Amino acid sequence: MAHMHLTTFVMPLGYHRNSWCRPGSRAEEVPGLGFLSDIARMAEEAKLDALFFGDVAHATSTLRGDTMMNGFYEPMTTLAALAARTERIGLIGTLSTSLYEPYNVARLLSSLDHLSGGRAGWNIVTSADGYRNFGIEAAPEPEERYRRSEEFVRVVEELWDSWSDDAVIVDRAERRWLDPERLRRIDFEGDYFRVEGPLNMPRSPQGRPVLVQAGSSGPGMRLGSAVANIIYTAQPDLQQAVEFSARMKALAAEQGREPGEVKVIPGIVPVVADSQAEADEIAAELSSFLDVEQGRLQIAGDLQADLSDLELDEPIPAERFASIGTLSSRQGIYRRKSVEQGLSLRELIYDRARSTGHQWVAGTAETVADRMQQWFEAGACDGFNLNSPYNPDGFERICTKLVPELQNRGLFRSEYTGVTLRDHLGLPRPANRFGGAADAERAR
Ligand SMILES: Cc1cc2nc3c(=O)[nH]c(=O)nc-3n(C[C@H](O)[C@H](O)[C@H](O)COP(=O)(O)O)c2cc1C
C-alpha cells in the first residue's frame, strides 16, 4: 500500500490562537533555537517527511493580536540551524517571489540543500501584504503577482541547473577545482527579470530543491500544477478535497507532468488524547484562551472588511464578503461557513481560531487516524500537513500517539528509507536541463 506523506507546519506558539497561554507552552523561549530543536527532533523521531516553515514579511497580523502566523523565525536561517541538529527530515521554507530576487533565492535554497545533504524545499508564495517594509506603496493585483512568480521560478530553476553535475573536478595536479566550461551563463531576459548567471555554487544534492506551492485560486493552481511537487491546501470538506486533488492532478497532466509527481497535502489540526472526553476537555481549554474582540479584528483583517458593528450571535452578512470572483480561497471558506452553513460571527471566530479553514479534529489516536485514513483512501490527498494545535505537548501527542497508530495501520513509514527530501517523497532527482556528462552517465 502507498504511504501517506506527513509534514508539519511549525508554529512554535501553537496553531490554535492563544494556545501559548497554556501552562508549559514554553512561549518565553520563542524565538530561540533550543525549544525549536526539541520540536524538530520529535518530528524526526516520528519519521515525518519534512518540517515546514511559513513566512510573512510584515507584522500586520501580529499587531492585531494574532501570533500564530508570524515571522519570528526567518525560515532560511532557522532551517540552516535545524539542518545541523537533524539528519534526515526535510526542511521546507517559504520565500516570497514578490519580495525577493531570483538570484538570492536560488543561492539560499541551494546552500541549504548542500548544508543539509539534500533536504531543502521551497514554498513559493506571492505576497498580499508587507510591501511598505520594502518601500513599495501598494501590492500588485494577484494575476500580476503570479505572473512575476512564474517567471521567478523559471529563473531560479535555470540557475540551479547552471552548473553541470560534473563541473567540480578537484584536479589537484592541474590546480583546477572546477571546469568553467561546464558552467552556463543563463542570460535570462524576461518581463520581470534580467539575470546573467551562472549561480556561484555547484548544483545541489537534489539537483533542484523540492518546490512547494499553496495557492488555491485559478492563477495559484496554474503555478502549482506547473512546477510544484507539494501542494498545500486548506480543505475542510472531504468531497471538495477529492475534487480539488483531482483538478490539481488533471492540471498537472495537461502540462505534461506525471500526476504522481504532484503531492496534494491538505492541513489538519489534530487534538489527540487518550479518550474522547479528554480531547474535548483540551479543546474547551484551548477555546477558553480566546479573546472574542481580538478574534473579530482578526477576521475583519482576513476579509478586509469592517465588522465592528455586527452582533456576535448573527452570521456575517453575505455583502460583507468580497464578490465571489475576487475572494481568496481562504475567504471563500469563511464565506461558505457563514453564508451557507450559518455560523454566527462568534462561532466563526472560534472556528478560525482553531483551524484557519483547515480540517480540525479532536479525539483519540484511533479516531483521528480513522479520519485521515478515510480521506487518504477516498483520494482526497497524498498525505497531511500536521498543524500542532498547541506546543510542545500537543505535538508530542501527535508524534508519539497518532503517528504510531498510522504506522501500525501500514499507512506511514516506520523508518526513513532514503536520505533526501526527494527520496522521502518518492521523487527522482531531476536531470539538468542543460545536459552534461554526469547526467548522460546517470541515464545509462
Ligand atoms: C498550508 C498553507 C501555508 C501557507 N503558508 C504561507 C506563508 O507562509 N506565507 C504566505 O505569504 N502565504 C502562505 N500561504 C498562502 C498561499 O501561498 C496563498 O497566498 C493563499 O492560499 C492565497 O492564494 P490563492 O488565492 O491563490 O489561494 C499558505 C497557504 C496554505 C494553505
Side-chain angles (χ1 to χ4, degrees):
M1 190 185 355
H3 282 171
M4 287 178 182
H5 294 291
L6 296 178
T7 63
T8 182
F9 197 1
V10 185
M11 297 282 173
L13 289 177
Y15 199 83
H16 194 301
R17 265 72 179 185
N18 293 0
S19 64
W20 58 266
C21 294
R22 228 173 163 262
S25 69
R26 297 178 65 180
E28 299 77 4
E29 298 176 48
V30 170
L33 181 59
F35 168 42
L36 200 59
S37 299
D38 290 346
I39 300 265
R41 269 193 290 268
M42 281 186 232
E44 188 162 69
E45 274 165 27
K47 319 293 177 204
L48 302 192
D49 292 83
L51 299 163
F52 164 45
F53 281 78
D55 194 41
V56 293
H58 57 82
T60 314
S61 48
T62 309
L63 291 172
R64 281 196 296 261
D66 190 347
T67 49
M68 185 277 265
M69 190 67 211
N70 60 66
F72 304 154
Y73 287 96
E74 187 289 313
M76 291 299 124
T77 46
T78 304
L79 290 171
L82 292 178
R85 299 210 173 182
T86 54
E87 289 179 356
R88 301 295 276 278
I89 195 161
L91 305 166
I92 300 172
T94 300
L95 292 171
S96 168
T97 57
S98 306
L99 304 172
Y100 280 80
E101 285 285 319
Y103 201 88
N104 300 342
V105 166
R107 291 190 73 206
L108 286 165
L109 268 301
S110 183
S111 181
L112 181 64
D113 207 44
H114 281 291
L115 292 173
S116 65
R119 296 188 280 142
W122 171 29
N123 179 38
I124 306 157
V125 300
T126 75
S127 296
D129 206 346
Y131 288 83
R132 292 207 191 122
N133 295 334
F134 299 83
I136 303 165
E137 251 330 284
E141 291 300 312
E143 272 284 351
E144 173 76 7
R145 298 203 302 261
Y146 275 110
R147 270 200 300 278
R148 176 182 158 106
S149 201
E150 282 165 24
E151 190 174 305
F152 194 118
V153 176
R154 265 208 318 280
V155 182
V156 169
E157 288 199 316
E158 290 197 17
L159 287 168
W160 283 338
D161 285 355
S162 64
W163 290 47
S164 109
D165 284 280
D166 54 3
V168 178
I169 51 177
V170 197
D171 184 340
R172 289 187 169 82
E174 295 291 325
R175 300 195 181 145
R176 291 194 321 153
W177 185 73
L178 64 85
D179 176 358
E181 296 291 310
R182 300 180 195 180
L183 271 52
R184 288 157 199 91
R185 290 161 57 118
I186 63 164
D187 288 328
F188 186 95
E189 295 214 14
D191 295 334
Y192 300 90
F193 304 108
R194 291 181 61 196
V195 181
E196 183 178 272
L199 200 61
N200 54 359
M201 60 180 76
R203 199 163 190 248
S204 72
Q206 294 188 101
R208 291 178 220 138
V210 169
L211 297 184
V212 179
Q213 218 273 327
S216 296
S217 63
M221 290 180 74
R222 193 175 67 220
L223 174 65
S225 62
V227 303
N229 294 119
I230 293 180
I231 304 290
Y232 282 133
T233 175
Q235 298 291 336
D237 173 79
L238 174 58
Q239 196 46 42
Q240 288 187 2
V242 171
E243 286 161 20
F244 176 83
S245 178
R247 212 160 58 242
M248 207 71 206
K249 297 201 181 211
L251 279 174
E254 274 172 29
Q255 318 213 34
R257 304 181 68 203
E258 281 293 322
E261 283 175 38
V262 182
K263 315 286 180 191
V264 177
I265 302 193
I268 186 168
V269 191
V271 174
V272 180
D274 291 330
S275 66
Q276 187 63 48
E278 191 198 354
D280 293 341
E281 210 173 287
I282 295 171
E285 185 195 10
L286 294 174
S287 287
S288 75
F289 297 129
L290 280 187
D291 172 332
V292 176
E293 287 308 320
Q294 202 179 57
R296 183 202 292 265
L297 279 180
Q298 290 163 4
I299 292 198
D302 292 345
L303 300 182
Q304 299 186 350
D306 179 9
L307 306 180
S308 58
D309 59 321
L310 294 185
E311 293 294 331
L312 282 167
D313 293 315
E314 297 288 331
I316 302 174
E319 60 273 15
R320 297 288 172 102
F321 291 88
S323 54
I324 300 276
T326 60
L327 286 174
S328 76
S329 50
R330 212 64 68 93
Q331 289 170 339
I333 291 172
Y334 298 145
R335 187 183 191 285
R336 272 203 305 282
K337 290 192 183 222
S338 291
V339 178
E340 288 164 29
Q341 295 165 20
L343 260 61
S344 67
L345 175 57
R346 188 193 308 275
E347 287 166 330
L348 193 66
I349 288 169
Y350 280 88
D351 182 80
R352 175 195 179 276
R354 67 187 193 184
S355 71
T356 329
H358 287 287
Q359 179 179 193
W360 184 89
V361 53
T364 61
E366 291 76 20
T367 54
V368 177
D370 285 348
R371 175 86 72 85
M372 292 169 77
Q373 182 165 2
Q374 181 199 18
W375 276 51
F376 184 59
E377 290 176 351
C381 59
D382 297 289
F384 294 89
N385 190 27
L386 300 161
N387 297 305
S388 172
Y390 61 99
N391 283 327
D393 296 0
F395 190 55
E396 188 175 16
R397 285 161 182 254
I398 288 173
C399 292
T400 60
K401 293 175 192 283
L402 176 59
V403 172
E405 177 63 28
L406 295 167
Q407 288 166 331
N408 289 340
R409 296 181 187 199
L411 290 166
F412 189 59
R413 74 165 74 79
S414 299
E415 288 302 332
Y416 288 111
T417 52
V419 289
T420 68
L421 177 54
R422 284 185 179 275
D423 292 340
H424 304 338
L425 294 168
L427 298 169
R429 184 178 191 272
N432 192 321
R433 74 194 54 214
F434 298 120
D439 285 328
E441 222 170 274
R442 223 186 305 279
R444 268 205 293 275

